[in-house]
Amino acid sequence: MDELISTINSHADPEKAKLLGRFFKTGKGQYGEGDKFLGIMVPVSRTIARQFYSLSLNDVEQLLHNPAHECRLIALIILIAQFKKGSEEQKKAIFALYMKSTDYINNWDLVDLSAPNIVGEYLLNKDITTLYTFAKSSSLWKKRISILALFTDIKNDRFDRALSIAEILVNDSHDLIHKAVGWMLREMGKRGGLKEEMGFLNKHAATMPRTMLRYAIERFPEEKRQFYLKLKNI
């Protein structure tokens, strides 16, 4: 573990850290308030994760709870790699670690990388009561996990569970949830669920947040885009 932390710190760049802090909105009152960056770019983080792929689950948990954003990112990259190659018992342990550590999975890049690849994969053929609880929580990141996890369902041509989470989140107040739900609706239409997406839009287009709608209809032909935008303006 000491070698890993030393390797991570050797790549720190204070100037890049400032840029990343601004990009990920770490200022007071912003969604990433208080997050700490070392200034390590994602390709370097991935290289470090590959180097330490065999890290024990206890050490990965310690890394995932580190105040530095890049440490948490590296931990998640390692967990995803271990999950893909793990036994059912190992996958269960990784999923359990993830679900008890969501307070540390606290920015959109961390959620978007890990929620489909760990939570979504694990729950593909399992009950998703926990995701409904997440969708109804006050936590921005748990809500984003709840919808992004079901990207795995969408990629497997299953749309009903993602639609049910979207129904819970359709009137959420946060822009990052508007973007996430709109993105998942767009992917649904793109991957064979156009009928399901349009059914959702026919029900909600007039009242759903504009950003969510615009993301959802981004790939529609112009005539169809304008139809839904006009519903929003009625």
Side-chain angles (χ1 to χ4, degrees), residues 210-222:
R210 185 172 296 275
T211 297
M212 188 185 296
L213 177 61
R214 287 190 175 277
Y215 267 62
I217 65 175
E218 187 176 40
R219 291 178 177 269
F220 281 10
E222 185 60 23

Side-chain angles (χ1 to χ4, degrees), residues 30-179:
Q30 296 181 307
Y31 61 72
E33 181 177 354
D35 205 353
K36 306 296 183 184
F37 283 83
L38 299 173
I40 303 172
M41 297 296 101
V42 172
V44 176
S45 293
R46 289 189 177 277
T47 298
I48 296 171
R50 283 195 296 271
Q51 183 181 347
F52 292 91
Y53 161 78
S54 60
L55 201 67
S56 73
L57 206 56
N58 285 338
D59 284 343
V60 178
E61 180 175 9
Q62 184 179 338
L63 191 64
L64 184 57
H65 294 186
N66 192 288
H69 186 101
E70 291 90 343
C71 288
R72 302 196 304 280
L73 175 62
I74 291 167
L76 290 169
I77 294 170
I78 292 171
L79 284 178
I80 291 167
Q82 291 183 352
F83 185 93
K84 286 180 179 177
K85 296 183 178 181
S87 65
E88 282 304 310
E89 184 177 351
Q90 289 168 326
K91 288 178 178 180
K92 183 178 180 180
I94 290 168
F95 173 77
L97 170 58
Y98 187 100
M99 297 303 275
K100 76 175 186 179
S101 301
T102 52
D103 287 348
Y104 302 93
I105 305 167
N106 57 353
N107 217 310
W108 59 263
D109 63 321
L110 304 179
V111 170
D112 296 5
L113 170 71
S114 61
N117 288 305
I118 296 177
V119 182
E121 289 290 341
Y122 187 77
L123 295 178
L124 183 59
N125 295 306
K126 297 180 178 69
D127 179 81
I128 60 165
T129 298
T130 302
L131 295 186
Y132 290 117
T133 301
F134 277 21
K136 295 173 184 177
S137 78
S138 61
S139 164
L140 168 61
W141 307 118
K142 285 184 178 180
K143 287 187 284 188
R144 192 164 171 111
I145 287 170
S146 74
I147 188 66
L148 261 295
L150 293 174
F151 190 22
T152 307
D153 273 32
I154 293 169
K155 288 188 288 187
N156 283 273
D157 301 323
R158 294 173 54 179
F159 311 118
D160 56 326
R161 303 197 303 182
L163 286 170
S164 65
I165 294 291
E167 287 280 354
I168 297 170
L169 298 175
V170 68
N171 294 311
D172 193 83
S173 62
H174 203 288
D175 182 64
L176 285 177
I177 300 302
H178 303 169
K179 291 176 180 177

